[in-house]
Amino acid sequence: MNGSAAPTIRADALTKRFGDFVAVSDVSFEIRAGEIWGFLGPNGAGKSTTIRMLCGVLSPTSGSAEVLGFDVARDPEEVKLRIGYMAQGSSLWNDLSVQEHLRFYAGLFGLAGTKREDAISHWLKRLDLYGQRARLAGTLSGGYRKRLALACTLLHEPQMVFLDEPTSGVDPLSRREFWDIIVALAEAGTTVLVTTHYLDEAEHCNDLALIYDGKIVASGTPESLKRDARNGITAEILSPDTVRVLDAIETQPFVASAGLYGSALHVCIRERDGLDRLSQFLQEHAIPVDSIAQVTPSLEDVFASLVGKR
Ligand SMILES: Nc1ncnc2c1ncn2[C@@H]1O[C@H](COP(=O)(O)OP(=O)(O)OP(=O)(O)O)[C@@H](O)[C@H]1O
Ligand SMILES: [Mg+2]
């Protein structure tokens, strides 16, 4: 990662309206070269819409963005040539084979001759698609469709890659493979913007931004987000009746969020004396608990405390 270079992406007050509805509101951020930048947020928060503006396929209502030095509104074609974009929905043709897809994308990005064949063979092998190369995309399983879409995205070695939920519907071992590839790309200097709903995956990112209702509500490294004092404390409660505890506390004003975490209950409180208040509340209401302790919040806790009660 090169900290002194110009950022690969600079978004400045990026906004998208659909009629009266504001899908993305005043979003600003920078992504440095070689970084894995994770974009998190609940369904409908505005992640895909932001990505589509950055890829030059949707024009911003206001604000601006530069990708690899090109303005996305003024030079969308320059942007499209230099990036890889794996859209959230399938962009495959059911009646083209795996190999035909790769040949098509290679042509689109000007790869020819041995360079084209080498790239295709590399990604067929790397994504375990070689045995499937003659199959029609329409007959592939969901996970293999994702593999093919990823191969098509990376074939031309773009400097900047946008991956919109690359691993949704992908089995756990394959997810790990996808992330090995993403990490290797970044190590080789490629910049990656990735969205995911799997918060364990977000731990692989150098930087994260949380978007909610079209606005970025938090950003930072996974570590700094977890440390952030605004999140107060996270308490872990063990109880013989977790559901009763959850019912009792989740509506309390001092509780930012509460939810099951394995067999325990995790409660986020945005106050330093949160643990005392929680203990006192449980005692006063004679709610039985086995233990209550402050724990290091997981990203899931951070996420829940920021968007859980809004
Ligand atoms: N073309 C469109 N016309 C009208 N509304 C749209 C359009 N595209 C997106 N939206 C709305 O904008 C909001 C943001 O959608 P977006 O797809 O960016 O969310 P997202 O964060 O990617 O969600 P998900 O996690 O479900 O993929 C949603 O309310 C969506 O319905
Ligand atoms: Mg989306």
Side-chain angles (χ1 to χ4, degrees):
M1 211 187 304
N2 188 345
S4 60
T8 302
I9 292 193
R10 184 184 283 132
D12 186 17
L14 210 52
T15 297
K16 184 67 192 180
R17 287 201 188 84
F18 297 109
D20 289 340
F21 177 71
V22 186
V24 174
S25 175
D26 231 3
V27 160
S28 300
F29 56 83
E30 285 189 355
I31 305 181
R32 288 162 294 147
E35 186 170 30
I36 304 176
W37 196 86
F39 204 17
L40 308 179
N43 292 138
K47 302 178 296 295
S48 297
T49 305
T50 304
I51 289 175
R52 293 173 68 213
M53 289 192 277
L54 294 173
C55 292
V57 298
L58 187 69
S59 52
T61 308
S62 62
S64 63
E66 258 182 32
V67 174
L68 296 165
F70 292 95
D71 185 289
V72 296
R74 262 200 318 267
D75 293 316
E77 298 311 316
E78 297 291 341
V79 172
K80 283 184 214 165
L81 272 178
R82 287 168 175 79
I83 61 163
Y85 170 36
M86 180 170 165
Q88 184 174 356
S90 168
S91 49
L92 303 176
W93 293 275
N94 288 341
D95 49 0
L96 283 192
S97 72
V98 167
Q99 198 143 23
E100 283 165 342
H101 271 90
L102 293 169
R103 293 217 168 110
F104 174 78
Y105 274 91
L108 209 59
F109 290 103
L111 288 180
T114 51
K115 215 172 165 196
R116 176 181 87 160
E117 294 314 308
D118 288 350
I120 291 176
S121 135
H122 172 79
W123 286 107
L124 280 175
K125 286 179 194 144
R126 186 77 202 267
L127 281 162
D128 196 22
L129 283 162
Y130 196 76
Q132 321 269 339
R133 66 190 184 286
R135 274 181 73 171
L136 298 182
T139 69
L140 292 174
S141 73
Y144 273 88
R145 289 175 71 84
K146 289 283 190 183
R147 284 169 185 265
L148 176 55
L150 186 61
C152 292
T153 303
L154 300 178
L155 196 62
H156 62 293
E157 296 181 25
Q159 285 170 266
M160 172 74 222
V161 176
F162 296 87
L163 305 174
D164 197 353
E165 295 194 27
T167 59
S168 70
V170 170
D171 73 63
L173 283 179
S174 306
R175 285 212 281 141
R176 209 183 282 178
E177 261 179 70
F178 276 37
W179 274 95
D180 286 345
I181 291 173
I182 293 171
V183 169
L185 284 173
E187 277 171 4
T190 308
T191 311
V192 181
L193 187 161
V194 57
T195 74
T196 179
H197 290 293
Y198 300 108
L199 294 178
D200 58 323
E201 293 185 350
E203 299 276 0
H204 294 293
C205 298
N206 306 111
D207 258 305
L208 295 171
L210 252 62
I211 185 168
Y212 184 81
D213 248 357
K215 296 183 198 69
I216 291 189
V217 292
S219 58
T221 64
E223 287 316 309
S224 73
L225 279 170
K226 284 187 263 186
R227 248 191 341 253
D228 195 333
R230 278 180 310 159
N231 299 318
I233 66 130
T234 300
E236 182 171 271
I237 300 176
L238 296 176
S239 160
D241 193 352
T242 325
V243 175
R244 183 175 161 210
V245 183
L246 180 61
D247 277 348
I249 62 173
E250 68 181 347
T251 51
Q252 294 308 306
F254 64 92
V255 171
S257 72
L260 293 174
Y261 197 83
S263 60
L265 191 65
H266 273 200
V267 188
C268 301
I269 305 166
R270 278 202 205 88
E271 284 157 36
R272 286 272 152 223
D273 65 347
L275 206 56
D276 295 339
R277 289 194 63 173
L278 189 59
S279 304
Q280 199 184 342
F281 174 85
L282 293 168
Q283 258 171 23
E284 278 168 13
H285 292 76
I287 297 168
V289 296
D290 294 331
S291 68
I292 169 167
Q294 183 167 350
V295 292
T296 308
S298 65
L299 267 180
E300 201 171 311
D301 294 320
V302 175
F303 190 79
S305 77
L306 285 163
V307 305
K309 272 200 162 183
R310 285 174 199 243

